[in-house]
Amino acid sequence: MKRAITLLGSLSLLLIIASAIFIVINRVPDRPVEALTARWAQPPSQFVEINGMKIHLRDEGPRNDPTPILLLHGTSSSLHTWNGWSKELNEQRRVIRFDMPGFGLTGPSPDNVYTIERYAQTVIAVLDQLNIERSVLAGNSLGGYVAWATALFYPERVEQLVLVDASGYPFKAESIPIGFRIANTPILNTLMEDVMPRSMVKSSLENVYGNPTLVTSELVDRYFDLMTRSGNRKALVERFRQTQPGQLADRVPELKQPTLILWGKLDRLIPPDNADRFHHDISGSTLVLFEDLGHVPQEEDPVSTVSALKRFLANSKSIALSPP
C-alpha cells in the first residue's frame, strides 16, 4: 500500500512538472493591437471610431454602388477570411468588411456585451458611419447569424441576404474545433487567456476545412496572431456564453429578403441539414451546396463560392429589371 501511494505521488509530481513545462513553452501573453497592425492592417485597412471601439475595416470598390456588399466573418476569424471574395468583387462592386467586436484587430467590446442584438446594432452603426442606406449582407458561421438577425431587426437596411454555413439554429456538431471546446470549458478557458499552442490553432483550422491540406503556415499565423490580440481570448469566452444558436430560430420564416444559402457538404461543425432548414424556412431562397468544402467555404475556395454569389446577384438584378 505504501509503495502504491509513493508511486501515485511520483506520477502526480511528474504530471505537475509536465503541465508546468507545457504552460511555459506555450505561454503567449496578450499582445497590443499596435504590435499586429504592421502585418495584418496593410492598406486598404483603416480604423473607424464606432461605439467606443476602433473598428478595423476595409472599404473597397466603386463608391457609386447603390447597394454595397457587407461581409461578416465567423467566430475567432477576421475580415481577412473574405480576401478572395473581395478580390473577385471589388472591381464592379463596393465591398466592405470589418473585424467584429471581440475578434481580429477590433478587439473586445468596451462594455463586454456580445449578444446577437448588439452585433446587429454594430452592423447598422458601420452602415451609418459609411452613409449606406441599404446593402447586400453576407456572413459566415456567426457572421451568418449576425447577418440574418440584422435583416430581421432592420429589414429596411438589407437588400439581399447571403448565408454561408450560417449559425442560428440549434445544431449537433459532428466535430468541434479544440479551441472552441476549451473556450467553453471552465478553468481551461481561463488558462487559455495566457496559453496558446500553435498546434491547437492549426488543429482547429484543419477541423473546419474540407481539405485540411489547404491549411497553410501563413493561415495559421493569421489566426494565431489575431487570437492573441489583447482581450480577444477573454471576449471569446463571453461570446460563447452570451450568444447561443436557437435564440431567434423560430423567427427565420419572417425573413423576406432574396436569400442565397451557400454550404460546404463537409461541414462537421454546423451540419448541412441546417442549410436545408434555412432553405425550407426562408421562402424563395436559393441553396447551393459544395461537395468538397467545409465550414468556411469562402476561405477554402473563394473562386467557386463567389461565382455562386455572382450568379445570384446577376439573377436578382435581371428579375428587378424585368417589366411587370
Side-chain angles (χ1 to χ4, degrees):
M1 184 67 176
K2 185 177 180 181
R3 186 176 180 180
I5 293 172
T6 302
L7 179 60
L8 183 61
S10 298
L11 290 174
S12 298
L13 180 60
L14 286 174
L15 181 61
I16 291 170
I17 293 172
S19 299
I21 292 172
F22 176 83
I23 291 171
V24 169
I25 291 174
N26 294 287
R27 184 173 182 271
V28 183
D30 273 355
R31 292 186 278 181
V33 65
E34 294 79 11
L36 301 169
T37 52
R39 184 172 186 184
W40 303 115
Q42 294 287 330
S45 282
Q46 57 180 299
F47 288 85
V48 180
E49 189 82 31
I50 296 176
N51 294 337
M53 293 174 287
K54 290 185 177 179
I55 287 184
H56 178 219
L57 179 146
R58 291 185 181 177
D59 184 356
E60 302 168 89
R63 291 300 186 269
N64 62 350
D65 187 343
T67 52
I69 300 171
L70 179 60
L71 305 173
L72 303 172
H73 63 78
T75 298
S76 293
S77 188
S78 65
L79 60 76
H80 305 86
T81 193
W82 302 104
N83 283 348
W85 273 32
S86 182
K87 182 179 178 181
E88 293 290 325
L89 292 168
N90 64 31
E91 288 190 7
Q92 287 81 36
R93 300 296 299 266
R94 184 179 180 184
V95 180
I96 299 153
R97 47 203 168 116
F98 68 95
D99 290 343
M100 294 200 294
F103 306 111
L105 295 177
T106 295
S109 170
D111 60 3
N112 203 36
V113 175
Y114 302 98
T115 63
I116 195 65
E117 291 82 3
R118 175 61 65 82
Y119 276 121
Q121 290 166 6
T122 301
V123 170
I124 297 303
V126 169
L127 293 176
D128 288 346
Q129 178 76 21
L130 300 175
N131 296 312
I132 295 170
E133 288 299 320
R134 292 176 67 81
S135 70
V136 177
L137 202 52
N140 169 237
S141 194
L142 170 65
Y145 190 2
V146 174
W148 70 257
T150 303
L152 187 66
F153 297 145
Y154 308 94
E156 72 284 357
R157 305 299 295 273
V158 181
E159 183 79 14
Q160 293 157 299
L161 190 59
V162 183
L163 306 180
V164 185
D165 293 68
S167 180
Y169 290 118
F171 63 88
K172 185 176 181 180
E174 179 184 334
S175 181
I176 300 174
I178 186 171
F180 287 6
R181 292 201 301 269
I182 291 174
N184 276 299
T185 304
I187 300 176
L188 282 181
N189 55 25
T190 302
L191 180 65
M192 189 179 71
E193 293 177 18
D194 286 305
V195 176
M196 180 65 64
R198 182 183 168 86
S199 60
M200 184 189 76
V201 177
K202 183 174 185 289
S203 171
S204 295
L205 286 169
E206 290 173 344
N207 187 274
V208 297
Y209 266 56
N211 180 0
T213 65
L214 295 178
V215 175
T216 64
S217 293
E218 183 177 9
L219 187 68
V220 176
D221 283 350
R222 188 181 85 210
Y223 277 85
F224 179 88
D225 283 356
L226 296 178
M227 285 177 69
T228 60
R229 190 264 193 230
S230 180
N232 277 357
R233 282 175 282 184
K234 184 176 289 187
L236 176 62
V237 175
E238 283 301 313
R239 196 304 268 167
F240 278 121
R241 188 179 67 82
Q242 296 181 32
T243 300
Q244 294 292 329
Q247 295 168 323
L248 299 169
D250 61 343
R251 297 190 61 187
V252 171
E254 297 177 30
L255 294 167
K256 303 304 178 187
Q257 294 86 352
T259 301
L260 171 65
I261 302 160
L262 305 180
W263 222 275
K265 289 191 74 173
L266 299 182
D267 189 343
R268 299 189 297 159
L269 180 59
I270 304 182
D273 58 7
N274 281 42
D276 295 330
R277 187 170 176 185
F278 275 115
H279 186 40
H280 174 270
D281 286 352
I282 303 175
S283 179
S285 60
T286 300
L287 172 61
V288 180
L289 298 173
F290 297 90
E291 293 287 336
D292 301 320
L293 302 181
H295 183 62
V296 284
Q298 81 287 349
E299 185 174 280
E300 191 173 356
D301 186 353
V303 175
S304 295
T305 50
V306 82
S307 293
L309 172 66
K310 288 179 177 179
R311 289 193 299 271
F312 170 75
L313 295 176
N315 185 56
S316 298
K317 183 177 181 181
S318 65
I319 292 173
L321 295 176
S322 297

